[in-house]
Amino acid sequence: MDFSKISTGEETEVRLTGRLEFTDHDRLRDIVELVEHPGTQRFIIALSELEFIDSAGLGMLLILQEEAESRNVKMIVRGARGDVKRSIDLARLDEIITIEP
Amino acid sequence: MAAPALSLSDCRVLIVDDNEFNRKSLALVIRRAGISDIAFAENGREGLAAVDRFRPDLVLLDVDMPVMNGWEMCEALRRNATHEELPVLFQTALDSDEEQVRCFEAGGSDFISKPIKPGECVARVRHQLEKRKLFNDLANFRERVQRELSHARAMQTSLLPEKRRLAEVADRYGLTLDAHFETSSELGGDFWGLYPLGDRRLGLLLVDFAGHGITAAINTFRLHTLIDRFPMQHAAPSQWLAQLNAALKDVLPTGQFATAFFGILDLATDTLTFAAAGSPNPVLGIPTGAGGNGPEIRLLDSAGLVLGASRRAQYVDQSFRLPRGGFLFLYSDALIECGGEEWGPLGQDAVPDFVRDGLARDRVHPLHPMMERFYARTNLPLRDDLTAVWLARRA
């Protein structure tokens, strides 16, 4: 998985590309740091270019959600498609995380 | 900053030299470096015998000796697998490039030039001994971890229904039951179980913890102890799963969770009732009447909030007819997500055809050809744990 970020004042958008899976756990720390960035109020995770997510990847989204929640940051997962969308729907993450098309 | 020097006081050094003065002066030098366990030999042949008797951690080896020279002794040592890793430091007065290269070709680890310079000698001896110590530590550690992992693996396998138990349950309920379980590393995060609930009802559970390896395996042990806490007898699958979810939420750190299928098969009413928590879509097969084109096969909806992520999770029961001759196929996501170079992963949509193909090859035990086909197209080791369970009601 690779990611890039776009920060505009109170909003930080992180775009994930490639595959988000078990082996990416070490990189999670870098994304969590973006949530911790002072002044961030909305945290968007854009998945439109993500090709694949496994259960460990879904776990990472849950960890990010908790990190955001504990800092009063609103997290939104946006633009999942194909198999990624299917995995997120199957796991019903929309009950815990705000998912946008 | 350099790491503190390791103590060499427990190291054993063998000095092989035909010259008594050289033996004594070398011993003096390395004694000062803290090595007191020193043995001596006067030529290569004595040296080989001394290695077997004394078991040194390092050999200081002269090249030019009567009976058997240093190069010959070193070559003999290296032919013996037991001494492959034993460091050999040549001490040589020969200073041509060719002769020094010969020391390495004979299997030497390094050499010290004569006349011996004490500082260089100690530094090279220390370097070789430290390397050997670290290597041994690593090898011992690796061996211990391997041993513990294989014990843990045996423990994990013991949580799952054994072959004999499968046969027992199959006979009692008039079923065909086949199962496959393989972890991607020594340990895995998959778990499944069969739970007889009286003479006509059977519970069936398949859980897959996120990730694999030790963390996931520990979670399967946690799960195993939790299952007995919640009686299945009088609970709807959705209620039972909700209880399990709450208990897992208490023990799992954020980011760890499990997908699950829990169903109860009622043989008196030909009904399968299940609740799911994001497991891959189970396959249900219903026999069609005479003249039909084989069973009607469909993927069941198994969406549901994964276990252990939220205390508020709710689950829904779904009921389907599962009459005699019908079947249920459950599997973890490795089946649809692991692939090879030539063939990508199978994918969820291809599973019904995959089952049809298995049935065409073996109508009674299709799991075996299904697994054969899966492994033929998939790179090993698997990237995730694979569990597959075939349950069919005998016609």
Side-chain angles (χ1 to χ4, degrees), chain B residues 141-259:
Chain B
F141 175 73
R142 212 190 145 99
E143 195 184 314
R144 180 169 68 82
V145 170
Q146 282 298 341
R147 206 165 46 234
E148 288 182 5
L149 281 175
S150 81
H151 286 162
R153 186 191 176 95
M155 284 167 66
Q156 175 162 51
T157 313
S158 75
L159 300 182
L160 305 176
E162 315 169 83
K163 250 196 155 85
R164 209 186 49 198
R165 168 134 178 94
L166 280 188
E168 246 172 52
V169 172
D171 279 347
R172 180 172 172 193
Y173 293 93
L175 303 172
T176 304
L177 273 173
D178 291 309
H180 177 88
F181 176 79
E182 179 176 332
T183 55
S184 59
S185 50
E186 283 85 351
L187 297 172
D190 284 5
F191 174 89
W192 79 280
L194 287 164
Y195 308 93
L197 308 169
D199 280 337
R200 40 166 241 174
R201 296 201 313 147
L202 175 68
L204 176 60
L205 175 69
L206 196 154
V207 178
D208 178 356
F209 282 91
H212 36 85
I214 294 174
T215 318
I218 289 171
N219 286 337
T220 65
F221 290 111
R222 282 175 161 148
L223 176 75
H224 188 253
T225 60
L226 286 177
I227 284 174
D228 293 338
R229 248 204 254 164
F230 309 115
M232 295 170 181
Q233 193 57 260
H234 303 292
S238 59
Q239 290 172 312
W240 192 82
L241 220 48
Q243 288 176 325
L244 189 61
N245 170 64
L248 281 172
K249 176 64 190 155
D250 285 339
V251 295
L252 294 186
T254 302
Q256 290 181 26
F257 59 83
T259 65

Side-chain angles (χ1 to χ4, degrees), chain B residues 245-273:
Chain B
N245 170 64
L248 281 172
K249 176 64 190 155
D250 285 339
V251 295
L252 294 186
T254 302
Q256 290 181 26
F257 59 83
T259 65
F261 169 98
F262 177 55
I264 294 177
L265 175 62
D266 190 322
L267 300 163
T269 60
D270 290 343
T271 308
L272 169 75
T273 303

